[in-house]
Amino acid sequence: MSSFVKPAEGVVQPDVSVVIPCRNEEGNAEAIASAVIAELEPLSIAFDIIFIDNESTDRTVEIIRSICARDPRIRLIVNTRNFGQMRSPTHGIFVATGRAVIGMCADFQDPPALLPRFIERWRAGIDIILGVRESEKSGLILDTTRKLSYTLARSFGDHAIIPNATGFGLYDRKVVDAIRAMNEPEPFFRGMLVETGFPLETITYKRPQRTRGKSNNNFFALLDFAVGGLTASSKRLLRVPLYLGVLGAIATLVMAIGGVVAFFLDRPIAGWFIAMVLQAQFALLFGFLGLMGDHIRLISERTRRTPLVLERERVNFPPEI
């Protein structure tokens, strides 16, 4: 399978593709397109903007279609259903043909004003530039959940995760190709950016409040995203039962030694024996669970064939893309 979808013959490859996932963003779609164009046009570069809609129930698709009719640089992908916060944006990034790809949200919490700076650093030779929002207070439960997810990711993740990076940033073509080649069915994109090992730079910014529309992220949606990200970027987590099994085996040995010592000191040994049997059972149980988890990890590595999304419609794309 080709890792890069080339532009159709006669179509100029954009220098930069901006991918904007959206769902129920009728209040933001036209404004974000105008803001992105206003930032990129003065740079004298070829660019396109790709909206990928994840089953909007308002007028978002209708509005973007009308923008596409006025400006051929605006493109639209309409998914057949809601494929979630991981798969849909990543599919849009893979479809993009720019020499660099920028991922950003439609709600202006990823400020378009940072785009020229991203491109400046990319031209300086940095392959990945990520916007990192300054710490923000968003309620005790949400803050606690976020901190817990970062702690778990640091403890069990296969690769370091960058706190407060949402994926807003610029990725060079070779980075996108490398991630595409991984064939991950549930791609935790900002974790996979680190996994590629390409040079990475962060830019800190103050995240503004959403000015229009309503966020699609409630507590359960964010929790689902955090759990999905942890499982997608942390295969070592599957080995935790195996580690617990080893600890249980050590505890079993300690109980056995305690029973032997009690026997020679003419002390009761029944308690030691019962504890040893219980610990041995837990050690075997967790040991087998850990081995099964590692086999599941290997199966996952070998069977990454699930398509990220199914498309209902494309607008303004050349026929061969």
mmCIF file of all heavy atoms in Angstrom, residues 161-189:
data_model
loop_
_atom_site.group_PDB
_atom_site.id
_atom_site.type_symbol
_atom_site.label_atom_id
_atom_site.label_comp_id
_atom_site.label_asym_id
_atom_site.label_seq_id
_atom_site.Cartn_x
_atom_site.Cartn_y
_atom_site.Cartn_z
ATOM 1 N N ILE A 161 4.738 11.396 26.428
ATOM 2 C CA ILE A 161 3.631 12.202 25.931
ATOM 3 C C ILE A 161 3.854 13.642 26.364
ATOM 4 O O ILE A 161 4.429 13.906 27.431
ATOM 5 C CB ILE A 161 2.278 11.670 26.462
ATOM 6 C CG1 ILE A 161 1.135 12.346 25.722
ATOM 7 C CG2 ILE A 161 2.150 11.868 27.958
ATOM 8 C CD1 ILE A 161 -0.205 11.697 25.953
ATOM 9 N N ILE A 162 3.446 14.584 25.516
ATOM 10 C CA ILE A 162 3.661 15.995 25.803
ATOM 11 C C ILE A 162 2.402 16.552 26.458
ATOM 12 O O ILE A 162 1.350 16.658 25.808
ATOM 13 C CB ILE A 162 3.977 16.770 24.511
ATOM 14 C CG1 ILE A 162 5.242 16.191 23.864
ATOM 15 C CG2 ILE A 162 4.156 18.256 24.800
ATOM 16 C CD1 ILE A 162 5.550 16.762 22.514
ATOM 17 N N PRO A 163 2.455 16.890 27.750
ATOM 18 C CA PRO A 163 1.270 17.409 28.431
ATOM 19 C C PRO A 163 0.740 18.667 27.765
ATOM 20 O O PRO A 163 1.507 19.518 27.298
ATOM 21 C CB PRO A 163 1.786 17.706 29.852
ATOM 22 C CG PRO A 163 2.978 16.828 30.021
ATOM 23 C CD PRO A 163 3.610 16.756 28.663
ATOM 24 N N ASN A 164 -0.583 18.766 27.705
ATOM 25 C CA ASN A 164 -1.294 19.933 27.177
ATOM 26 C C ASN A 164 -1.095 20.151 25.678
ATOM 27 O O ASN A 164 -1.415 21.231 25.159
ATOM 28 C CB ASN A 164 -0.909 21.203 27.944
ATOM 29 C CG ASN A 164 -1.334 21.151 29.389
ATOM 30 O OD1 ASN A 164 -2.386 20.619 29.721
ATOM 31 N ND2 ASN A 164 -0.503 21.677 30.273
ATOM 32 N N ALA A 165 -0.561 19.150 24.976
ATOM 33 C CA ALA A 165 -0.538 19.203 23.510
ATOM 34 C C ALA A 165 -1.754 18.447 23.015
ATOM 35 O O ALA A 165 -1.945 17.275 23.346
ATOM 36 C CB ALA A 165 0.744 18.571 22.971
ATOM 37 N N THR A 166 -2.585 19.107 22.224
ATOM 38 C CA THR A 166 -3.837 18.494 21.771
ATOM 39 C C THR A 166 -3.723 17.890 20.375
ATOM 40 O O THR A 166 -4.659 17.275 19.886
ATOM 41 C CB THR A 166 -4.967 19.545 21.750
ATOM 42 O OG1 THR A 166 -4.619 20.571 20.807
ATOM 43 C CG2 THR A 166 -5.160 20.154 23.140
ATOM 44 N N GLY A 167 -2.569 18.099 19.732
ATOM 45 C CA GLY A 167 -2.415 17.688 18.335
ATOM 46 C C GLY A 167 -2.414 18.871 17.393
ATOM 47 O O GLY A 167 -2.107 18.727 16.206
ATOM 48 N N PHE A 168 -2.778 20.051 17.890
ATOM 49 C CA PHE A 168 -2.710 21.280 17.104
ATOM 50 C C PHE A 168 -1.259 21.545 16.740
ATOM 51 O O PHE A 168 -0.401 21.721 17.611
ATOM 52 C CB PHE A 168 -3.277 22.438 17.922
ATOM 53 C CG PHE A 168 -3.095 23.799 17.313
ATOM 54 C CD1 PHE A 168 -3.353 24.035 15.966
ATOM 55 C CD2 PHE A 168 -2.681 24.871 18.099
ATOM 56 C CE1 PHE A 168 -3.199 25.300 15.411
ATOM 57 C CE2 PHE A 168 -2.533 26.140 17.562
ATOM 58 C CZ PHE A 168 -2.782 26.349 16.217
ATOM 59 N N GLY A 169 -0.966 21.538 15.440
ATOM 60 C CA GLY A 169 0.412 21.757 15.037
ATOM 61 C C GLY A 169 0.623 21.440 13.569
ATOM 62 O O GLY A 169 -0.322 21.217 12.807
ATOM 63 N N LEU A 170 1.894 21.420 13.188
ATOM 64 C CA LEU A 170 2.288 21.154 11.803
ATOM 65 C C LEU A 170 3.161 19.908 11.761
ATOM 66 O O LEU A 170 4.048 19.737 12.604
ATOM 67 C CB LEU A 170 3.039 22.364 11.226
ATOM 68 C CG LEU A 170 3.542 22.256 9.784
ATOM 69 C CD1 LEU A 170 3.524 23.631 9.111
ATOM 70 C CD2 LEU A 170 4.954 21.674 9.719
ATOM 71 N N TYR A 171 2.927 19.067 10.744
ATOM 72 C CA TYR A 171 3.677 17.826 10.593
ATOM 73 C C TYR A 171 4.203 17.750 9.156
ATOM 74 O O TYR A 171 3.432 17.901 8.200
ATOM 75 C CB TYR A 171 2.808 16.594 10.884
ATOM 76 C CG TYR A 171 1.620 16.874 11.766
ATOM 77 C CD1 TYR A 171 0.318 16.763 11.274
ATOM 78 C CD2 TYR A 171 1.793 17.303 13.086
ATOM 79 C CE1 TYR A 171 -0.774 17.051 12.066
ATOM 80 C CE2 TYR A 171 0.691 17.584 13.889
ATOM 81 C CZ TYR A 171 -0.581 17.465 13.367
ATOM 82 O OH TYR A 171 -1.679 17.750 14.143
ATOM 83 N N ASP A 172 5.483 17.511 9.022
ATOM 84 C CA ASP A 172 6.077 17.377 7.702
ATOM 85 C C ASP A 172 5.515 16.148 6.989
ATOM 86 O O ASP A 172 5.032 15.200 7.616
ATOM 87 C CB ASP A 172 7.599 17.256 7.842
ATOM 88 C CG ASP A 172 8.311 17.279 6.507
ATOM 89 O OD1 ASP A 172 8.529 18.373 5.982
ATOM 90 O OD2 ASP A 172 8.613 16.186 5.984
ATOM 91 N N ARG A 173 5.583 16.178 5.654
ATOM 92 C CA ARG A 173 5.058 15.073 4.839
ATOM 93 C C ARG A 173 5.604 13.721 5.273
ATOM 94 O O ARG A 173 4.875 12.738 5.376
ATOM 95 C CB ARG A 173 5.436 15.339 3.373
ATOM 96 C CG ARG A 173 5.060 14.274 2.366
ATOM 97 C CD ARG A 173 3.623 14.420 1.968
ATOM 98 N NE ARG A 173 2.758 13.505 2.679
ATOM 99 C CZ ARG A 173 1.462 13.715 2.882
ATOM 100 N NH1 ARG A 173 0.882 14.812 2.479
ATOM 101 N NH2 ARG A 173 0.739 12.836 3.513
ATOM 102 N N LYS A 174 6.916 13.650 5.561
ATOM 103 C CA LYS A 174 7.508 12.351 5.913
ATOM 104 C C LYS A 174 7.002 11.847 7.267
ATOM 105 O O LYS A 174 6.931 10.639 7.496
ATOM 106 C CB LYS A 174 9.032 12.419 5.904
ATOM 107 C CG LYS A 174 9.679 13.400 6.850
ATOM 108 C CD LYS A 174 11.200 13.316 6.720
ATOM 109 C CE LYS A 174 11.908 14.401 7.511
ATOM 110 N NZ LYS A 174 11.766 15.719 6.861
ATOM 111 N N VAL A 175 6.614 12.766 8.142
ATOM 112 C CA VAL A 175 6.034 12.357 9.439
ATOM 113 C C VAL A 175 4.661 11.730 9.217
ATOM 114 O O VAL A 175 4.343 10.670 9.772
ATOM 115 C CB VAL A 175 5.932 13.573 10.384
ATOM 116 C CG1 VAL A 175 5.235 13.179 11.681
ATOM 117 C CG2 VAL A 175 7.312 14.152 10.672
ATOM 118 N N VAL A 176 3.856 12.379 8.382
ATOM 119 C CA VAL A 176 2.522 11.850 8.078
ATOM 120 C C VAL A 176 2.638 10.483 7.411
ATOM 121 O O VAL A 176 1.905 9.541 7.740
ATOM 122 C CB VAL A 176 1.743 12.834 7.178
ATOM 123 C CG1 VAL A 176 0.399 12.237 6.754
ATOM 124 C CG2 VAL A 176 1.519 14.157 7.909
ATOM 125 N N ASP A 177 3.585 10.350 6.468
ATOM 126 C CA ASP A 177 3.778 9.070 5.782
ATOM 127 C C ASP A 177 4.178 7.974 6.764
ATOM 128 O O ASP A 177 3.723 6.832 6.666
ATOM 129 C CB ASP A 177 4.853 9.209 4.700
ATOM 130 C CG ASP A 177 4.382 10.046 3.521
ATOM 131 O OD1 ASP A 177 3.175 10.362 3.466
ATOM 132 O OD2 ASP A 177 5.217 10.375 2.661
ATOM 133 N N ALA A 178 5.045 8.325 7.722
ATOM 134 C CA ALA A 178 5.509 7.337 8.700
ATOM 135 C C ALA A 178 4.364 6.864 9.585
ATOM 136 O O ALA A 178 4.235 5.667 9.879
ATOM 137 C CB ALA A 178 6.630 7.935 9.551
ATOM 138 N N ILE A 179 3.503 7.788 10.005
ATOM 139 C CA ILE A 179 2.371 7.414 10.859
ATOM 140 C C ILE A 179 1.357 6.607 10.064
ATOM 141 O O ILE A 179 0.802 5.619 10.559
ATOM 142 C CB ILE A 179 1.728 8.676 11.476
ATOM 143 C CG1 ILE A 179 2.717 9.327 12.444
ATOM 144 C CG2 ILE A 179 0.424 8.323 12.194
ATOM 145 C CD1 ILE A 179 2.220 10.629 13.036
ATOM 146 N N ARG A 180 1.133 7.008 8.823
ATOM 147 C CA ARG A 180 0.208 6.255 7.963
ATOM 148 C C ARG A 180 0.663 4.808 7.792
ATOM 149 O O ARG A 180 -0.146 3.878 7.792
ATOM 150 C CB ARG A 180 0.112 6.958 6.602
ATOM 151 C CG ARG A 180 -0.870 6.313 5.623
ATOM 152 C CD ARG A 180 -0.721 6.967 4.251
ATOM 153 N NE ARG A 180 -1.612 6.337 3.290
ATOM 154 C CZ ARG A 180 -2.768 6.843 2.889
ATOM 155 N NH1 ARG A 180 -3.180 7.994 3.370
ATOM 156 N NH2 ARG A 180 -3.514 6.215 2.011
ATOM 157 N N ALA A 181 1.980 4.602 7.658
ATOM 158 C CA ALA A 181 2.528 3.257 7.454
ATOM 159 C C ALA A 181 2.330 2.351 8.667
ATOM 160 O O ALA A 181 2.399 1.128 8.547
ATOM 161 C CB ALA A 181 4.009 3.348 7.104
ATOM 162 N N MET A 182 2.065 2.921 9.840
ATOM 163 C CA MET A 182 1.851 2.113 11.037
ATOM 164 C C MET A 182 0.520 1.368 10.998
ATOM 165 O O MET A 182 0.318 0.406 11.742
ATOM 166 C CB MET A 182 1.905 3.002 12.287
ATOM 167 C CG MET A 182 3.256 3.609 12.556
ATOM 168 S SD MET A 182 3.210 4.698 14.016
ATOM 169 C CE MET A 182 4.843 5.435 13.952
ATOM 170 N N ASN A 183 -0.425 1.842 10.175
ATOM 171 C CA ASN A 183 -1.730 1.177 10.031
ATOM 172 C C ASN A 183 -2.433 0.972 11.368
ATOM 173 O O ASN A 183 -2.999 -0.094 11.631
ATOM 174 C CB ASN A 183 -1.571 -0.182 9.335
ATOM 175 C CG ASN A 183 -1.499 -0.054 7.825
ATOM 176 O OD1 ASN A 183 -2.084 0.855 7.253
ATOM 177 N ND2 ASN A 183 -0.747 -0.940 7.205
ATOM 178 N N GLU A 184 -2.403 1.977 12.220
ATOM 179 C CA GLU A 184 -3.039 1.877 13.530
ATOM 180 C C GLU A 184 -4.546 2.104 13.401
ATOM 181 O O GLU A 184 -4.972 3.163 12.926
ATOM 182 C CB GLU A 184 -2.434 2.913 14.478
ATOM 183 C CG GLU A 184 -3.062 2.973 15.846
ATOM 184 C CD GLU A 184 -2.956 1.661 16.588
ATOM 185 O OE1 GLU A 184 -1.827 1.201 16.830
ATOM 186 O OE2 GLU A 184 -4.019 1.092 16.900
ATOM 187 N N PRO A 185 -5.386 1.137 13.801
ATOM 188 C CA PRO A 185 -6.832 1.303 13.635
ATOM 189 C C PRO A 185 -7.459 2.313 14.588
ATOM 190 O O PRO A 185 -8.521 2.854 14.310
ATOM 191 C CB PRO A 185 -7.386 -0.106 13.891
ATOM 192 C CG PRO A 185 -6.357 -0.769 14.733
ATOM 193 C CD PRO A 185 -5.038 -0.200 14.317
ATOM 194 N N GLU A 186 -6.832 2.571 15.730
ATOM 195 C CA GLU A 186 -7.318 3.579 16.676
ATOM 196 C C GLU A 186 -6.163 4.528 16.966
ATOM 197 O O GLU A 186 -5.538 4.463 18.020
ATOM 198 C CB GLU A 186 -7.833 2.923 17.962
ATOM 199 C CG GLU A 186 -9.115 2.143 17.823
ATOM 200 C CD GLU A 186 -10.333 3.039 17.595
ATOM 201 O OE1 GLU A 186 -10.245 4.242 17.936
ATOM 202 O OE2 GLU A 186 -11.349 2.549 17.083
ATOM 203 N N PRO A 187 -5.838 5.414 16.032
ATOM 204 C CA PRO A 187 -4.597 6.188 16.132
ATOM 205 C C PRO A 187 -4.657 7.303 17.176
ATOM 206 O O PRO A 187 -5.475 8.215 17.066
ATOM 207 C CB PRO A 187 -4.431 6.767 14.723
ATOM 208 C CG PRO A 187 -5.832 6.843 14.194
ATOM 209 C CD PRO A 187 -6.591 5.706 14.797
ATOM 210 N N PHE A 188 -3.788 7.211 18.167
ATOM 211 C CA PHE A 188 -3.607 8.308 19.122
ATOM 212 C C PHE A 188 -2.527 9.204 18.521
ATOM 213 O O PHE A 188 -1.341 9.042 18.780
ATOM 214 C CB PHE A 188 -3.196 7.756 20.487
ATOM 215 C CG PHE A 188 -3.029 8.792 21.554
ATOM 216 C CD1 PHE A 188 -4.030 9.714 21.811
ATOM 217 C CD2 PHE A 188 -1.880 8.842 22.317
ATOM 218 C CE1 PHE A 188 -3.880 10.675 22.797
ATOM 219 C CE2 PHE A 188 -1.713 9.788 23.313
ATOM 220 C CZ PHE A 188 -2.717 10.710 23.554
ATOM 221 N N PHE A 189 -2.960 10.147 17.679
ATOM 222 C CA PHE A 189 -2.057 10.816 16.751
ATOM 223 C C PHE A 189 -0.937 11.561 17.458
ATOM 224 O O PHE A 189 0.227 11.469 17.063
ATOM 225 C CB PHE A 189 -2.850 11.767 15.846
ATOM 226 C CG PHE A 189 -2.095 12.195 14.622
ATOM 227 C CD1 PHE A 189 -2.087 11.402 13.487
ATOM 228 C CD2 PHE A 189 -1.373 13.376 14.604
ATOM 229 C CE1 PHE A 189 -1.377 11.780 12.352
ATOM 230 C CE2 PHE A 189 -0.660 13.768 13.480
ATOM 231 C CZ PHE A 189 -0.665 12.961 12.347
#
